[in-house]
């Protein structure tokens, strides 16, 4: 950091400088990212070293380090106003500190925004989204088009950092169950969503050392009167992958109800039942691993493997219904895509259909299946799993990590938004809300002064048609750019192409005729 005298703009001169040596030496992640001067102090967001407070006022030629703020974070931004310092930490979110005494900053509050989202669950009008680092955010989605943050829960620092972003969350009867990376599994009382309270936790002890939690699914029928969390553990160096059944009926006293050592990491879990033989409960595991990534089926009562299918592509997500399994395979090899399998006999799944293209996430709202394909979202009618019908492919949004369906709304956790049609060229991470099974529904009114204008209402009618015409004429790419072709047999059908033309108009007519199921 340098202080430069620019009183004479033609002759800027350095008054003094400060260089972070220890703990910053030879570490790109400890470079300075942002700076904010205030009252003779300079605050520097210094990456993994934290935020440095430097005294330049006492002796500008010899600036002195006063203290480090949040030295165990990843500081990317800082702004100081009055006696408040606002710190943007890549892992911890927004931190607010009182710097009345710069040498002794005091925390005031924090907000961990849902940036790189990885898990979604819903209960009533509340949507719970887990992020890649320290917990989950609670959103009021009573108006799904405009989610509103009502509460934030953060894993205690003492529980350990989250080492992997494949976090899952489930919510049942006012309690949120979170697979929290190296912090294990946490149970949070969310009866008051503005004040989530940790009720219990399963920390990864010596039996599951060097692991972190990934997949999570909940069942109430495996043990009558008991709530079981089925948790997938992935290995850190020196660890092994596991499937663990946890009895979480009493959050204050979580009990291991059995465990099974696995050959590969279980990234996501879907529950079902065998449709043949003893019809036992099964867990379908989306499996990681570049050399062996096809899904696995486990008898979760006996904790034995029914099926372990090798394959050259890792599986990132899985959904199941009535013995039909939908897996998302995301790698760049030839085995990627959406796979539909008949797994009525868990020991002998049969491939019914495959749609190629990198697939990160899949969600099921029978008979509709939603699957990502690279930067796009496809909607299939799976009434006949042997012959799926592509109803729609739209929205150039990349890096989905999970999808959640509730009624007509589809919630997508997105790591990055790269739609080329956006005015800025790129967007940010976060939550995207779609009208899931009614894509022709764009508005509740065609009157631009009506509050319902641009807010879907679950009905496709003349208001939607005239609203689309408004957006078409206004060159609103977010709404009007729907397709690269009006021919349903063309691969560009339903794929935005950065141009608004007659193909888009006729494509919307297709959506209009489709209406709402």
């Amino acid at each position: 950091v340098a202080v430069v005298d620019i009183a004479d703009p033609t002759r800027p001169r350095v008054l003094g400088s400060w260089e972070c040596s220890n703990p910053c030496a030879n570490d790109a992640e400890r470079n300075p990212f942002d700076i904010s001067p205030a009252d003779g102090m300079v605050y520097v967001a210094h990456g993994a070293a934290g935020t440095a407070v430097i005294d330049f006022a006492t002796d500008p030629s010899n600036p002195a380090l006063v203290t480090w703020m949040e030295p165990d974070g990843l500081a990317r931004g800082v702004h100081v106003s009055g006696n408040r310092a606002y710190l943007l930490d890549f892992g911890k979110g927004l931190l607010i500190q009182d710097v009345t005494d710069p040498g002794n900053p005091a925390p005031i509050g924090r907000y961990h925004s849902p940036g790189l989202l990885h898990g979604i669950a819903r209960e009533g009008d509340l949507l719970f989204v887990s992020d890649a680092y320290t917990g989950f955010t609670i959103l009021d989605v009573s108006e799904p088009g405009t989610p509103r943050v009502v509460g934030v829960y953060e894993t205690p620092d003492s529980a350990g950092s989250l080492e992997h972003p494949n976090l899952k969350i489930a919510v049942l009867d006012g309690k949120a169950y979170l697979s929290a990376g190296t912090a294990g599994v946490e149970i949070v009382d969310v009866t008051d969503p503005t004040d989530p309270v940790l009720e219990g936790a399963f920390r990864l002890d010596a039996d599951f050392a060097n692991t972190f939690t990934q997949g999570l699914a909940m069942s109430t029928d495996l043990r009558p009167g008991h709530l079981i969390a089925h948790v997938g553990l992935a290995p850190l160096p020196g660890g092994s992958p596991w499937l663990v059944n946890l009895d979480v009926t009493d959050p204050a006293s979580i009990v291991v109800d059995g465990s099974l050592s696995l050959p590969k990491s279980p990234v996501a879990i879907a529950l079902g039942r065998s449709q043949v033989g003893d019809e036992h409960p099964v867990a379908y595991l989306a499996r990681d691993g570049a050399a062996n990534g096809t899904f696995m089926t486990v008898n979760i009562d006996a904790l034995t493997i029914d099926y372990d299918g090798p394959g050259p592509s890792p599986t990132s997500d899985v959904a199941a219904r009535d013995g039909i399994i939908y897996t998302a395979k995301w790698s760049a090899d030839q085995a990627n895509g959406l796979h539909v399998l008949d797994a009525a006999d868990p020991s002998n799944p049969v491939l019914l259909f495959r749609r190629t293209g990198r697939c990160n996430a899949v969600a099921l709202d029978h008979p509709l299946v939603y699957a990502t394909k690279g930067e796009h979202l496809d909607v299939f009618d799976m009434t006949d799993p042997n012959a799926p019908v592509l109803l729609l492919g739209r929205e150039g949004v990349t890096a989905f990590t999970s999808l959640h369906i509730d009624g007509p709304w589809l919630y997508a956790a997105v790591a990055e938004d790269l739609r080329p049609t956006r005015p800025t060229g790129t967007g940010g991470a976060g939550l995207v809300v779609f009208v899931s099974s009614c894509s022709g529904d764009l508005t509740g009114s065609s009157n631009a002064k009506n509050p319902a204008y641009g807010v879907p209402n679950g009905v496709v009618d003349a208001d939607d048609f005239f609203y689309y015409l408004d957006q078409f004429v206004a060159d609103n790419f977010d709404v009007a750019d729907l397709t690269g072709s009006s021919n349903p047999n063309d691969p560009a059908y339903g794929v935005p192409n950065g141009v608004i033309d007659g193909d888009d108009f006729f494509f919307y007519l297709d959506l209009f005729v489709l209406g709402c199921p």
Side-chain angles (χ1 to χ4, degrees):
V1 180
V3 175
V4 181
D5 183 346
I6 55 171
D8 180 355
T10 65
R11 288 187 171 184
R13 64 189 184 93
V14 176
L15 297 179
S17 63
W18 174 84
E19 181 176 349
C20 176
S21 54
N22 183 17
C24 300
N26 302 321
D27 188 341
E29 288 195 1
R30 298 176 187 271
N31 285 338
F33 289 93
D34 198 6
I35 189 170
S36 181
D39 298 328
M41 299 290 169
V42 174
Y43 298 79
V44 185
H46 229 297
T51 298
V53 183
I54 306 163
D55 181 357
F56 273 91
T58 304
D59 181 1
S61 66
N62 187 29
L65 176 68
V66 176
T67 189
W68 284 98
M69 301 168 65
E70 297 290 331
D72 58 345
L74 189 58
R76 290 300 183 99
V78 59
H79 175 74
V80 180
S81 177
N83 61 353
R84 298 286 188 267
Y86 301 88
L87 313 179
L88 180 60
D89 187 281
F90 187 69
K92 297 180 179 180
L94 175 65
L95 311 175
I96 305 173
Q97 302 225 350
D98 185 333
V99 289
T100 303
D101 177 2
N104 187 30
I108 297 175
R110 65 169 56 186
Y111 169 66
H112 197 283
S113 62
L116 194 59
L117 309 183
H118 280 271
I120 303 179
R122 180 169 175 173
E123 186 173 64
D125 284 334
L126 298 178
L127 189 74
F128 299 78
V129 287
S130 61
D131 62 63
Y133 300 100
T134 62
F136 58 84
T137 298
I138 307 172
L139 303 164
D140 181 342
V141 291
S142 53
E143 296 182 6
T146 55
R148 178 176 61 88
V149 174
V150 294
V152 177
Y153 169 76
E154 295 188 345
T155 295
D157 291 339
S158 60
S161 62
L162 307 188
E163 297 287 348
H164 199 283
N166 281 313
L167 305 185
K168 305 298 180 184
I169 186 169
V171 182
L172 296 169
D173 299 328
K175 290 183 173 56
Y177 302 83
L178 177 70
S179 68
T182 54
V185 175
E186 298 187 327
I187 304 176
V188 183
D189 186 338
V190 291
T191 307
D192 178 1
T194 66
D195 185 27
V197 177
L198 180 66
E199 276 204 340
F202 176 76
R203 304 302 183 194
L204 299 172
D205 57 17
D207 290 338
F208 305 107
N210 302 315
T211 63
F212 60 93
T213 58
Q214 285 195 123
L216 172 70
M218 310 295 295
S219 71
T220 57
D221 59 350
L222 184 63
R223 303 279 185 268
H226 291 256
L227 179 62
I228 305 298
H230 309 280
V231 184
L233 303 183
L236 293 169
S240 302
W242 293 86
L243 175 66
V244 181
N245 291 339
L246 298 177
D247 188 330
V248 294
T249 309
D250 179 3
S253 181
I254 299 174
V255 178
V256 175
D257 193 44
S259 60
L260 176 66
S261 179
L262 299 175
K264 288 293 177 180
S265 302
V267 176
I269 302 174
L271 301 180
R273 280 191 172 271
S274 164
Q275 305 294 301
V276 297
D278 59 0
E279 297 188 352
H280 55 265
V282 295
Y284 304 101
L285 310 182
R287 286 184 36 175
D288 200 357
N292 199 0
T294 300
F295 83 96
M296 173 188 295
T297 305
V298 172
N299 181 329
I300 53 175
D301 193 4
L303 283 173
T304 56
I305 296 174
D306 283 338
Y307 171 79
D308 179 14
S313 177
T315 304
S316 57
D317 204 2
V318 61
R321 186 180 189 272
D322 297 335
I324 303 298
I325 312 304
Y326 306 88
T327 66
K329 297 171 77 65
W330 58 264
S331 75
D333 61 43
Q334 295 182 352
N336 62 18
L338 171 68
H339 291 66
V340 182
L341 303 103
D342 183 344
D345 179 357
S347 65
N348 186 32
V350 177
L351 180 66
L352 302 178
F353 168 78
R354 173 174 169 246
R355 188 281 319 267
T356 59
R358 301 185 69 163
C359 186
N360 286 330
V362 61
L364 176 62
D365 185 25
H366 188 75
L368 300 179
V369 167
Y370 301 81
T372 61
K373 181 181 180 182
E375 298 180 359
H376 305 287
L377 176 68
D378 288 344
V379 185
F380 292 91
D381 183 341
M382 290 284 181
T383 302
D384 180 0
N386 293 282
V389 177
L390 178 64
L391 299 179
L392 176 67
R394 65 172 299 186
E395 288 294 340
V397 183
T398 191
F400 287 98
T401 52
S402 66
L403 303 172
H404 177 81
I405 298 171
D406 191 90
W409 300 99
L410 174 70
Y411 301 90
V414 181
E416 191 173 8
D417 183 347
L418 297 177
R419 277 177 280 186
T421 55
R422 285 216 182 270
T424 58
T426 61
L431 177 71
V432 178
V433 185
F434 302 94
V435 180
S436 64
S437 56
C438 190
S439 297
D441 174 26
L442 303 175
T443 188
S445 172
S446 57
N447 180 354
K449 296 181 179 180
N450 191 309
Y453 187 74
V455 179
N457 65 343
V459 177
V460 173
D461 55 20
D463 284 334
D464 298 288
F465 178 79
F466 288 111
Y467 175 83
Y468 180 77
L469 284 185
D470 288 349
Q471 309 310 309
F472 186 90
V473 172
D475 286 335
N476 183 346
F477 282 90
D478 283 342
V479 175
D481 178 24
L482 301 175
T483 189
S485 172
S486 57
N487 179 359
N489 296 317
D490 191 318
Y493 185 76
V495 179
N497 65 342
V499 177
I500 297 176
D501 55 19
D503 285 334
D504 298 290
F505 176 78
F506 288 109
F507 181 86
Y508 180 73
L509 286 184
D510 290 347
L511 300 182
F512 186 84
V513 172
L514 181 65
C516 289

